[in-house]
């Protein structure tokens, strides 16, 4: 029996065990929506396409499944661009289906036509423009395979309306055959053996674990590695929550706003074990002084990341989980403590600190949140100062507990990403932490949250300024604050109420102490507007062009 | 240093854009790029001449590998290979100069493919150096129009840089 390509698409999604789609309908994608009418797949109608793609991103990070997004052509597709780029930078598996004008109209500047595959070419792992309806099932099979294997990432399928309506004989391929795409999963044996030898020889090793650990869900292997070789662990932003925040070997985050202990450990180590990390500029600072005396073992699933920014002594291309599983039995238990004593001395000398007294401090709210939730909540952040405070002060004890926009640094990510995570983890405590700036970029999704009865807890660290930009102006522009002070915000508690969401406004430490536990324990969605001091700076901070050992206090 | 890459790609729409886009957004310098289909109609072959040191070339190769439509990459710079460019040159050649131009044409084993009242159009194949030499030699006569293909290249002997089903992408590390 023949069915339309749109119906075939929905059946393909069912075969891929897709349970949830985030989307927004429109003219050219109508055939797909018509097919969805008869499907068991739940479609979440968001309020803006950007909300859909960030939500799918949060959902994918929280669950490890593929996030699926559907949008229409033209503005539907362009509204996705930020979210697609975000997923691409942070290696999140998404499959995005966009409508396109009918093939006869393509290239004529038709209504709601844009060159979607052209626009998304540099921000997708791969994309397809469907020109032959019979090829669609094969493309979808490939899309899911490409999105999830190797270094994960977004894959987009652009589907012209007439193609979607074309009848085809449906047959979902069982296997994938892509002669140009053969990711490496298993690390090279000899290289792994060499790594084990180098580890045994090292006196001052540091494990630098990034998003690859999070994405491949290798927290157990990371913990085993650290405890076996007795080596301290530092995380990148994407790696945070993959190692217990209260573990004696944990150094905290490294880099631009990393702890001094982490940055000094990396600067002075003789062996850097980089696991699923990419030596991003926010991590390395002045690259020539990054781990200058160290041998480098670099494990990454993407060969292009190895040797891109720093010279590597032992490159290992492979899935970090599999590589660690193969490496662990080759390692001997180590108990020497000289290096750890040095690290503990740094830790004691340079703790993270802020002044608790006076006006309510954003750091205090984050610390309190960590205390109340025991570090086990899933925390989705927006981008800015609050994001760094969560990274510094929320001691994660749940693997995959942090969902944050790292590579792209996209404000507006927090709320929809938290929403997507809550969809994926319905029984768990999910908390958004956002600033007053980023929250207002995507706060239209409050409607989606209420409509779907999500018990999401939303904390706004509201200081009436664009704090991180202001901090940059303080450090680099002599405090000439331009376009960073808000003169008006809505009353967020009232705004919440307008949506039927319970709202709180917390102004003091005491209010946080008594009301935050209460707010977090509410059964439904809650918005917690924390009016915090605008005088706080993210500290320490590595000035531009400086080595990470040269951090300043802000 | 200039490197010559023989790149096999899927003969699919947009593949040239993908490759060219990759070069421009990552700041790699293409010296020349020639593309056409191979013995297999589903596979095209690009000959890309890239300027860069070994580190740049390593990144170029690895980033190209990440494109799903790229099947195989060979850096043939260090191999013995045959390379050719084709040039068409329309050069001034009135009756006073015509004989000289025809003689130059003979020396370079170029062919005259068209003749106007005051011009001759030459076709010549050869490696980069030979084409450059021909161009320089004809320049004093007044080149009206010139078009060159990029370089295409193939390794000498029986070594095969084509696509074999199980050859796949070779490991770069």
């Amino acid at each position: 029996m023949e069915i339309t390509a749109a119906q075939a698409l929905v059946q393909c999604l069912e075969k891929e065990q897709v349970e949830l789609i985030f989307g927004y309908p429109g003219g050219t994608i109508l055939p797909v929506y018509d097919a969805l009418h008869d499907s068991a797949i739940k479609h979440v109608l968001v309020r803006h396409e950007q909300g859909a793609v960030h939500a799918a991103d949060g959902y994918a990070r929280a669950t490890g499944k593929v996030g699926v997004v559907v949008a229409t052509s033209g503005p539907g597709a362009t509204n996705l661009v930020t979210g697609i780029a975000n997923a691409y930078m942070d290696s999140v598996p998404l499959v995005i289906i966009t409508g396109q004008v009918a093939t006869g109209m393509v290239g004529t500047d038709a209504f709601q036509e844009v060159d979607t595959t052209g626009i998304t070419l540099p921000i997708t792992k791969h994309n397809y423009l469907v020109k032959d309806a019979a090829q669609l099932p094969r493309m979808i099979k490939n899309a899911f395979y490409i999105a999830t294997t190797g270094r994960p990432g977004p894959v987009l399928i652009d589907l012209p309306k007439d193609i979607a309506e074309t009848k085809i004989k449906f047959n979902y391929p069982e296997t994938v055959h892509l002669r140009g795409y053969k990711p490496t999963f298993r690390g090279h044996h000899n290289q792994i053996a060499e790594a084990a030898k180098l580890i045994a020889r090292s006196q001052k090793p540091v494990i630098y674990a990034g998003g690859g650990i999070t994405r491949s869900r290798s927290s157990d292997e990371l913990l085993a590695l650290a405890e076996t070789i007795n080596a301290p662990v530092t995380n990148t932003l994407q790696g945070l929550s993959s190692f217990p925040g209260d573990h004696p070997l944990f150094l905290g985050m490294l880099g631009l706003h990393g702890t001094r202990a982490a940055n000094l450990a990396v600067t002075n180590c003789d062996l850097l074990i980089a696991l699923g990390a990419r030596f991003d500029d926010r991590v390395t600072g002045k690259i020539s002084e990054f781990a200058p005396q160290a041998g480098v073992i670099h494990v990454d699933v993407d060969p292009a990341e190895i040797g891109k920014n720093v010279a590597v002594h032992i490159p290992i291309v492979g899935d970090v989980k599999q590589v660690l599983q193969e490496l662990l039995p080759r390692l001997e238990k180590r108990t020497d403590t000289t290096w750890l004593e040095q690290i503990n001395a740094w830790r004691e000398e340079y703790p993270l600190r802020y002044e608790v007294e006076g006006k309510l401090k954003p750091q205090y709210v984050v610390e309190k949140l960590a205390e109340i939730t025991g570090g086990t909540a899933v925390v989705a952040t927006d981008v800015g100062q609050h994001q760094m405070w969560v990274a510094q002060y929320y001691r994660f004890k749940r693997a995959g507990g942090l969902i944050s926009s790292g590579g792209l640094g996209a404000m507006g990510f927090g709320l929809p990403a938290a929403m997507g995570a809550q969809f994926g983890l319905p029984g768990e405590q999910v908390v958004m932490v956002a600033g007053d700036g980023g929250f207002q970029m995507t706060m239209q999704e409050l409607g989606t949250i209420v409509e779907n009865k999500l018990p999401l807890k939303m904390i706004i660290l509201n200081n009436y300024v664009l704090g991180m930009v202001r901090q940059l102006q303080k450090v680099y522009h002599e405090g000439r604050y331009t376009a960073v002070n808000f003169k008006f915000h809505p009353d967020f508690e009232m705004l919440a109420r307008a949506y039927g969401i319970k709202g709180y406004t917390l102004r003091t430490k005491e209010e946080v102490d008594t009301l935050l536990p209460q707010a977090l324990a509410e059964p439904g969605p809650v918005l917690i507007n924390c009016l915090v001091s605008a005088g706080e700076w993210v500290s320490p901070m590595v000035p531009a062009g400086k080595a990470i050992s040269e951090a300043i206090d802000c | 240093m200039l490197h010559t890459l023989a790149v096999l790609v899927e003969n699919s729409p947009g593949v040239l854009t993908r490759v060219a886009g990759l070069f421009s957004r990552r700041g790699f310098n293409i010296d020349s790029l020639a593309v056409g289909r191979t013995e297999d109609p589903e596979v095209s072959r690009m000959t890309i001449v890239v300027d860069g040191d070994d580190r740049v070339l390593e990144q170029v190769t690895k980033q190209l590998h990440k494109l799903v439509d790229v099947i195989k990459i060979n850096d043939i710079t260090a191999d013995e290979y045959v390379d050719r460019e084709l040039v068409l040159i329309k050069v001034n050649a009135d009756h006073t100069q015509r004989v000289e131009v025809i003689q130059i044409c003979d020396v370079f084993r170029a062919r005259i493919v068209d003749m106007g009242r005051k011009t001759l159009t030459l076709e010549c194949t050869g490696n980069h150096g030979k084409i450059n030499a021909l161009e320089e030699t004809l320049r004093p006569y007044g080149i009206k129009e010139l078009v060159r293909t990029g370089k295409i290249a193939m390794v000498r002997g029986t070594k095969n840089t084509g696509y074999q089903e199980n050859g796949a992408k070779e490991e770069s590390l």
Side-chain angles (χ1 to χ4, degrees):
Chain A
M1 196 188 85
E2 295 206 327
I3 57 174
T4 67
Q7 288 166 331
L9 166 81
V10 171
Q11 290 195 21
C12 292
L13 296 179
E14 286 167 354
K15 297 252 185 207
E16 292 289 342
Q17 266 118 43
V18 173
E19 295 155 11
L20 201 62
I21 294 175
F22 298 92
Y24 207 100
T28 59
I29 197 72
L30 281 180
V32 172
Y33 275 85
D34 190 62
L36 276 172
H37 193 81
D38 304 318
S39 172
I41 298 175
K42 178 178 168 67
H43 176 274
V44 176
L45 176 63
V46 295
R47 298 300 185 262
H48 185 292
E49 288 88 350
Q50 187 187 354
V53 62
H54 285 326
D57 185 321
Y59 173 85
R61 294 189 205 220
T63 61
K65 298 176 193 167
V66 179
V68 180
V69 181
V70 178
T72 195
S73 61
T78 52
N79 279 344
L80 295 176
V81 168
T82 301
I84 298 173
N86 188 68
Y88 183 68
M89 294 285 272
D90 285 349
S91 309
V92 179
L94 300 183
V95 169
I96 303 130
I97 318 283
T98 47
Q100 184 53 277
V101 300
T103 44
M105 305 285 281
V106 167
T108 65
D109 305 315
F111 176 67
Q112 293 195 330
E113 182 192 358
V114 292
D115 175 9
T116 305
T117 48
I119 289 171
T120 59
L121 193 105
I123 52 168
T124 50
K125 192 169 169 189
H126 194 56
N127 63 22
Y128 292 102
L129 172 60
V130 191
K131 289 184 168 169
D132 172 5
Q135 292 299 314
L136 180 64
R138 159 68 54 201
M139 286 173 173
I140 294 169
K141 182 82 187 173
N142 291 350
F144 275 86
Y145 181 73
I146 293 168
T148 51
T149 52
R151 179 177 183 173
V155 179
L156 181 141
I157 297 170
D158 199 27
L159 180 61
K161 193 176 184 198
D162 58 324
I163 301 279
E165 288 165 336
T166 304
K167 294 237 173 173
I168 61 168
K169 234 193 194 138
F170 178 62
N171 176 22
Y172 197 56
E174 297 280 317
T175 55
V176 170
H177 175 71
L178 287 160
R179 53 186 168 182
Y181 179 73
K182 303 244 163 36
T184 307
F185 298 104
R186 303 205 50 174
H188 198 285
H189 300 291
N190 296 348
Q191 295 291 88
I192 292 173
E194 286 300 313
K197 277 189 222 160
L198 195 57
I199 290 170
R201 278 206 305 274
S202 70
Q203 305 291 314
K204 299 186 285 180
V206 170
I207 298 168
Y208 151 47
I213 296 283
T214 312
R215 269 337 142 251
S216 67
R217 305 192 165 236
S218 311
S219 297
D220 292 345
E221 288 79 3
L222 174 63
L223 184 64
L225 172 70
E227 290 184 342
T228 304
I229 64 171
N230 215 19
V233 176
T234 181
N235 276 140
T236 67
L237 181 66
Q238 293 304 305
L240 274 178
S241 75
S242 67
F243 197 79
D246 57 349
H247 196 285
L249 289 170
F250 189 54
L251 291 166
M253 184 171 69
L254 81 166
L256 178 63
H257 292 299
T259 64
R260 284 178 195 263
N263 286 342
L264 286 168
V266 168
T267 304
N268 291 284
C269 72
D270 68 350
L271 175 64
L272 189 67
I273 306 168
L275 304 174
R278 59 187 178 90
F279 296 84
D280 175 77
D281 57 88
R282 300 284 120 158
V283 160
T284 62
K286 187 178 180 185
I287 196 126
S288 58
E289 288 177 40
F290 184 73
Q293 303 136 31
V296 177
I297 297 169
H298 191 181
V299 183
D300 205 289
V301 74
D302 180 357
E305 287 304 340
I306 293 179
K308 186 178 84 175
N309 294 339
V310 300
V312 173
H313 302 85
I314 302 185
I316 302 174
V317 177
D319 178 80
V320 70
K321 193 183 195 82
Q322 293 192 26
V323 171
L324 287 180
Q325 282 168 352
E326 202 176 323
L327 176 66
L328 283 167
R330 294 169 185 265
L331 299 172
E332 283 184 25
K333 179 93 186 143
R334 291 174 50 159
T335 50
D336 41 325
T337 55
T338 330
W339 173 230
L340 293 178
E341 280 160 19
Q342 169 67 71
I343 281 173
N344 284 333
W346 284 325
R347 231 193 304 237
E348 272 166 44
E349 195 176 346
Y350 306 112
L352 291 170
R353 57 167 181 260
Y354 64 95
E355 188 53 59
V356 184
E357 295 313 313
K359 288 186 76 177
L360 178 60
K361 299 297 164 62
Q363 300 95 319
Y364 182 79
V365 178
V366 173
E367 277 198 313
K368 202 71 200 170
L369 175 68
E371 188 190 309
I372 298 163
T373 59
T376 59
V378 171
V379 181
T381 76
D382 211 86
V383 171
Q385 285 184 318
H386 72 276
Q387 177 189 32
M388 292 297 107
W389 286 318
V390 168
Q392 292 177 334
Y393 291 98
Y394 192 93
R395 302 225 154 201
F396 288 92
K397 288 183 202 155
R398 179 202 190 281
L402 176 64
I403 293 174
S404 196
S405 166
L408 192 69
M411 284 175 70
F413 175 76
L415 181 65
M419 173 177 95
Q422 186 76 80
F423 268 111
L425 305 169
E428 293 197 48
Q429 173 92 280
V430 179
V431 181
M432 175 210 79
V433 180
D436 44 304
F439 179 77
Q440 291 183 84
M441 283 195 178
T442 46
M443 66 181 178
Q444 75 285 344
E445 299 307 330
L446 288 173
T448 317
I449 289 162
V450 174
E451 196 167 274
N452 289 278
K453 303 186 174 65
L454 296 179
L456 187 65
K457 304 297 177 286
M458 296 161 274
I459 298 176
I460 305 174
L461 296 178
N462 181 0
N463 58 5
Y464 273 76
V465 294
L466 295 173
M468 189 58 96
V469 183
R470 189 161 168 272
Q471 180 161 345
L472 295 174
Q473 291 179 345
K474 172 180 184 258
V475 177
Y476 300 120
H477 297 277
E478 297 87 38
R480 289 156 51 84
Y481 300 124
T482 312
V484 290
N485 296 310
F486 288 111
K487 292 191 187 70
F488 170 79
H489 278 334
D491 179 332
F492 289 114
E493 186 184 335
M494 296 269 281
L495 178 81
R497 240 185 281 157
Y499 275 95
I501 293 173
K502 191 143 191 182
Y504 284 82
T505 303
L506 308 183
R507 294 173 183 82
T508 63
K509 199 163 149 287
E510 290 68 33
E511 284 180 350
V512 170
D513 290 345
T514 53
L515 294 175
L516 187 58
Q518 183 186 324
L520 291 172
E522 297 271 0
V526 180
L527 190 143
I528 305 146
N529 179 26
C530 301
L531 297 174
V532 297
S533 162
E536 291 302 296
W537 311 101
V538 182
S539 202
M541 175 181 183
V542 178
K546 297 284 188 189
I548 57 169
S549 55
E550 300 175 283
I552 56 168
D553 283 312
C554 262
Chain B
M1 176 184 165
L2 292 178
H3 286 253
T4 304
L5 304 180
V7 184
L8 295 176
V9 298
E10 297 286 347
N11 187 7
S12 62
V15 66
L16 182 60
T17 317
R18 286 179 202 279
V19 171
L22 173 72
F23 274 80
S24 70
R25 78 175 169 271
R26 291 208 179 255
F28 304 141
N29 293 317
I30 301 185
D31 196 70
S32 83
L33 189 156
V35 58
R37 69 163 196 79
T38 63
E39 71 282 2
D40 177 348
E42 291 184 2
V43 176
S44 294
R45 178 159 166 157
M46 294 184 180
T47 306
I48 308 176
V49 182
V50 198
D51 190 14
D53 59 18
D54 289 349
R55 246 185 89 112
V56 170
L57 255 290
E58 186 184 323
Q59 265 300 303
V60 168
T61 311
K62 284 174 167 179
Q63 295 294 347
L64 277 173
H65 264 302
K66 285 174 72 168
L67 299 178
V68 173
D69 284 338
V70 170
I71 303 166
K72 192 178 176 187
I73 302 161
N74 276 291
D75 185 346
I76 62 170
T77 314
D79 292 314
E80 287 289 326
Y81 63 85
V82 186
D83 64 313
R84 289 290 180 270
E85 266 185 66
L86 169 67
V87 65
L88 293 174
I89 306 175
K90 189 176 285 180
V91 61
N92 280 333
D94 60 19
H95 65 279
T96 61
Q97 298 170 321
R98 195 154 279 187
V99 177
E100 279 178 50
V101 171
I102 290 170
Q103 279 172 349
I104 291 167
C105 198
D106 281 344
V107 171
F108 282 90
R109 276 181 287 159
R111 298 196 317 152
I112 292 160
V113 290
D114 191 34
M115 203 176 255
R117 219 152 43 83
K118 291 181 176 170
T119 60
L120 286 172
T121 302
L122 277 58
E123 163 205 302
C124 186
T125 64
N127 64 21
H128 198 70
K130 175 181 164 183
I131 304 293
N132 285 353
L134 175 63
E135 187 182 331
E136 285 313 307
T137 313
L138 291 175
R139 192 173 296 281
Y141 298 90
I143 293 172
K144 306 288 285 179
E145 215 179 308
L146 182 147
V147 57
R148 289 168 84 145
T149 64
K151 154 166 138 178
I152 57 169
M154 191 173 282
V155 171
R156 288 185 189 272
T158 45
K159 185 178 167 190
N160 191 347
T161 48
Y163 174 69
Q164 286 97 39
E165 192 60 16
N166 294 319
K169 288 185 179 184
E170 62 228 58
E171 277 315 310
S172 37
L173 285 164

